Amino acid sequence: MSLPTKYQLDESQMPRVWYNIQADLPVALPPVLHPGTLQPIGPADLAPLFPMDLILQEVSTEREIEIPEPVREVYRLWRPSPLYRAHRLEKALGTPAKIFYKYEGVSPAGSHKPNTAVPQAFFNAAAGVKRLTTETGAGQWGTSLSFAGQLYGLEVLVFQVRVSYDQKPYRRAVMETYGARCLPSPSTETAYGRSVLAERPDHPGSLGIAISEAVELAAQREDTKYALGSVLNHVLMHQTIVGLESIEQMQMANAWPDVIVGCTGGGSNFAGITFPFIGHGLRGGVKPRIVAVEPAACPSLTRGRYGYDFGDTGKMTPLVKMHTLGSTFTPPAFHAGGLRYHGMAPLVSHLKELGLIEATAYTQTECFAAGVAFARSEGIVPAPEANHAVKGAIEEALRCKREGRSETILFNLCGHGHFDMSAYQKYFAGELVDESYDEKELAMALAGLPSVSA
Amino acid sequence: MSLPTKYQLDESQMPRVWYNIQADLPVALPPVLHPGTLQPIGPADLAPLFPMDLILQEVSTEREIEIPEPVREVYRLWRPSPLYRAHRLEKALGTPAKIFYKYEGVSPAGSHKPNTAVPQAFFNAAAGVKRLTTETGAGQWGTSLSFAGQLYGLEVLVFQVRVSYDQKPYRRAVMETYGARCLPSPSTETAYGRSVLAERPDHPGSLGIAISEAVELAAQREDTKYALGSVLNHVLMHQTIVGLESIEQMQMANAWPDVIVGCTGGGSNFAGITFPFIGHGLRGGVKPRIVAVEPAACPSLTRGRYGYDFGDTGKMTPLVKMHTLGSTFTPPAFHAGGLRYHGMAPLVSHLKELGLIEATAYTQTECFAAGVAFARSEGIVPAPEANHAVKGAIEEALRCKREGRSETILFNLCGHGHFDMSAYQKYFAGELVDESYDEKELAMALAGLPSVSA
């Protein structure tokens, strides 16, 4: 037990580039389609929503994209983040496996989300943008963009799903601490929000609706752009700093993962830790098994269809090819709000279709049980989203125990649960239920997918 | 701005000893008195409450006490903690001062408290103790002891001040996540608790009452000891790892503080960062100014009396000489729960009497304003307690600006505010008021101090 438990890189060892997996894909990503014409779109079509630097990152096939120095300066507030060897968890499980985890909860927002919020705010500010709009569910992404916007003098307007806005006022308080404005969605500030409220004045909101509202406002004003916290290629690329650091830290530990586990909602933290390792394998290196863990109540990778769909409910976004439950699908209200999205990042979906990653789903109560076991051995209380990765890693470690194999497991602990203790409270009170989605609603949502020949 | 913003020590550079300021005091600490006889007590008198290793640390005058390797192993989960240069805050204030801060919010509990919870649990477990009792207000200390107890297989019973127990169920959820049992105080489990409830069934509780309950239970059972999160000499000594690391990190930065700022409730985080620097000065080194910042609503150092008093309301603890508002004094319900204590650590009080430290007091709204300014420049949202240190540091930086002096300021950011966003929410809603204590009640509490000739 006198082994180091923490592998910490010096600031000078922080990566200077992001890794773009599009450079190494054996088959290129299917094109993005225009929502009106259903024809492939070019960079100019995205210009109303994003600054050109980010659009070029979205479509780039360069392997390495330089991280601007002003972004690295902000990253240094919490990066490089630590990588841990989970000695105590291994002992508690009695497994011969070696378990490592990368911890992203050290950021000011307590999760991995600032890794992309900061460069998105930077490139928008550099392009002269004055205001960013975005959506948030539980609030992790809204918090992170508020933090990043503040650093570069950008006004940030967050549409928060109304049920979260009402039930989790503390997350709103964090956004306001960072100077952002936070509105419940559906709101009366957009035509789409008003149309939803006209049909149902007490609508609880959804991420899909909030995205439509944020996109509508951004498209209307020259000085306003839209920022998304997951799904898009450039967002996933910004997160690869997680995996790039992990590669250096695994080398410090004289180890290399046999299996890498991440939780998946939109796909960003999963992509962050896995893409650099997948790329290493695609370029001829060792190929670890890659396991995506999603919530059983919103199983886009394991139960969704791979096809073209909208990113939002209002059908304003371009169409992307992804694993989707249908943009009208509303997942039950489980506690890992960051994983409640109908679709999956096109890049993650593409890798799944290429057979480069596996996917599995667990219910929230079994994930909370895993999170509690983790907290009691390693000390950190994971976010409900991260509990899915913990569960996946524990299952791999128990498999190693059964098979008598001392494999090396790496997972991404993408955030702490200090904002989410009400969910743990319900778990201990026995009030957490594993509500399933409605099979009929899923069938209807899938039947309603846009018909695209591509 | 290409200077490093973060000074990070390697695990191998983590201190191997704690610093005991009693070795360097120009005048020895006044003795601790028995609550019954009012005579000085010896180590054996404390044996019902604490294991002998901790009692010997309490009275030791050795300069360095070795940190046991099993404690260092746990410390490595988050230590060495980072030291930051607050470039962005300096810029926002337009000050020529250099501001550095040590950040203790990276611990699993989100504050500095595990620095002493872990060794206390370790030494108790090593002595064969099976159960620890303690008190907690807002919950930071209870959380930390629950975390530490779990690691060493100790049962932990936390008496939480009832008003916090009812209002902050999320903190209780953290303690339960770590496997501890948490009871509202006053409770029916102790004779003292029952006596308080008999007089007033709806009593909201206080730290002094909760201490009495925890002490009563520990004194009754051979296998049960008591743990305190601040005030005592050994507790403050465990926190000196904060200052010892800071000394190394300031040297990395080629800087040395002209002034060090910490917030004070019981005194532990303040002692942690300042004692190693004070000791350095007492041994002939440079003497920085040392500024303790306390809440104006509970001003033990600036408005209390220096005299012998009990640590608890039930008058079960030994008497210590300290700055006190009287053990019957009940501070108003402001949000920095960790600073709501009638007394001050005897060592901190002694240093104040010796003229080695200064003290100042601020109201909670001005501290929250400082915390928001800090979050908007540096990104980290401070705990309400830490906001007092932020306020003190900002005032020093503004003084430097007025005087045109580029002094070096160091402060301890002892925890993050992610558990305390309800207080920020009230601050933004304009609902935070600066309730003062009752002058008559203070006068009565001071008049009721035990009469001791020493």
Side-chain angles (χ1 to χ4, degrees), chain B residues 108-170:
Chain B
S111 78
H112 66 294
K113 292 291 187 190
N115 295 333
T116 183
V118 172
Q120 287 193 54
F122 168 77
F123 286 113
N124 273 285
V129 172
K130 301 295 176 209
R131 189 166 71 151
L132 290 176
T133 65
T134 197
E135 72 293 325
T136 200
Q140 282 168 334
W141 168 244
T143 296
S144 301
L145 193 70
S146 303
F147 155 68
Q150 172 68 32
L151 291 175
Y152 296 108
L154 293 169
E155 202 183 311
V156 175
L157 177 60
V158 182
F159 289 92
Q160 184 173 23
V161 176
R162 181 182 291 274
V163 60
S164 296
Y165 182 92
D166 290 338
Q167 288 176 359
K168 302 190 172 183
Y170 302 164

Side-chain angles (χ1 to χ4, degrees), chain A residues 1 5-6 11 73 76-77 79 84 108 150 169-170 176-178 376 379 416 418-419 422 425 428, chain B residues 1 4-6 11 73 76-77 79 84 108 150 169-170 176-178 376 379 416 418-419 422 425 428:
Chain A
M1 288 293 264
T5 53
K6 182 163 93 269
E11 283 191 359
E73 273 168 16
R76 283 193 203 109
L77 287 174
R79 305 212 70 86
Y84 291 89
Q150 173 68 30
Y170 302 164
E176 287 173 358
T177 300
Y178 290 131
R376 290 186 182 178
H416 69 60
H418 293 179
F419 290 120
S422 65
Q425 189 194 353
F428 288 117
Chain B
M1 288 294 262
T5 53
K6 183 164 91 266
E11 283 191 359
E73 273 168 18
R76 282 193 203 111
L77 288 174
R79 304 212 71 86
Y84 292 89
Q150 172 68 32
Y170 302 164
E176 288 173 358
T177 299
Y178 290 131
R376 290 186 182 177
H416 68 58
H418 294 178
F419 290 120
S422 64
Q425 189 194 355
F428 288 116

Side-chain angles (χ1 to χ4, degrees), chain B residues 70-90:
Chain B
V71 170
R72 286 169 44 85
E73 273 168 18
V74 179
Y75 276 174
R76 282 193 203 111
L77 288 174
W78 72 96
R79 304 212 71 86
S81 70
L83 182 115
Y84 292 89
R85 170 82 184 271
H87 289 295
R88 290 175 188 78
L89 179 63
E90 292 169 16

Side-chain angles (χ1 to χ4, degrees), chain A residues 283-316:
Chain A
R283 295 192 304 277
V286 178
K287 288 185 181 180
R289 280 178 55 227
I290 306 286
V291 180
V293 182
E294 61 183 11
C298 192
S300 55
L301 276 174
T302 54
R303 294 291 313 277
R305 186 173 301 168
Y306 184 58
Y308 274 97
D309 197 7
F310 295 96
D312 68 328
T313 309
K315 304 188 176 181
M316 298 176 200

